[in-house]
Amino acid sequence: MTYENMFSALGDSTRRQVFEAVADRPRAVGDLAADLPVSRPAVSQHLKVLSDAGLVVCRAEGTRRIYAARPEGLAELRTWLERYWSDALESFAAEVNKGRDA
């Protein structure tokens, strides 16, 4: 699992919709397909990509598979993004302060 895989997985708009739905609450494939303009097999394929990227987890509940967002995956992605966001803000602050010193 890499950050590149995570970003790639979320790069598809339908896949983002699937991810947002399971992040909202755990759901089965059939429930997801009922709310999206794609078939059950397509939803399953999107969930596979999200799972391989470490963004969702699956648990068996009888004969159904229930998917949910994987908090650790989101935390890893957030940590990576915050590092760059912090660097960008520090660079911006340095540039602003440079103008004050003149």
Side-chain angles (χ1 to χ4, degrees):
M1 167 181 50
T2 65
Y3 300 114
E4 185 176 309
N5 290 347
M6 291 178 175
F7 283 114
S8 179
L10 293 172
D12 179 87
S13 62
T14 301
R15 199 170 298 127
R16 270 195 315 278
Q17 287 179 303
V18 170
F19 177 76
E20 289 170 2
V22 298
D24 184 44
R25 66 182 167 85
R27 301 180 67 180
V29 174
D31 296 337
L32 290 164
D35 293 339
L36 295 168
V38 293
S39 66
R40 281 179 77 139
V43 170
S44 292
Q45 290 175 350
H46 286 301
L47 287 166
K48 168 96 171 88
V49 172
L50 291 166
S51 179
D52 289 348
L55 294 169
V56 301
V57 293
C58 176
R59 75 176 190 276
E61 200 173 271
T63 59
R64 296 175 2 137
R65 297 239 179 250
I66 307 299
Y67 291 85
R70 181 177 164 263
E72 300 87 358
L74 293 174
E76 293 164 6
L77 191 57
R78 183 177 179 172
T79 298
W80 187 85
L81 285 170
E82 283 179 351
R83 179 179 65 161
Y84 290 101
W85 182 245
S86 296
D87 290 349
L89 289 177
E90 287 174 18
S91 294
F92 178 73
E95 193 64 30
V96 168
N97 290 331
K98 193 186 318 182
R100 290 183 182 170
D101 294 337

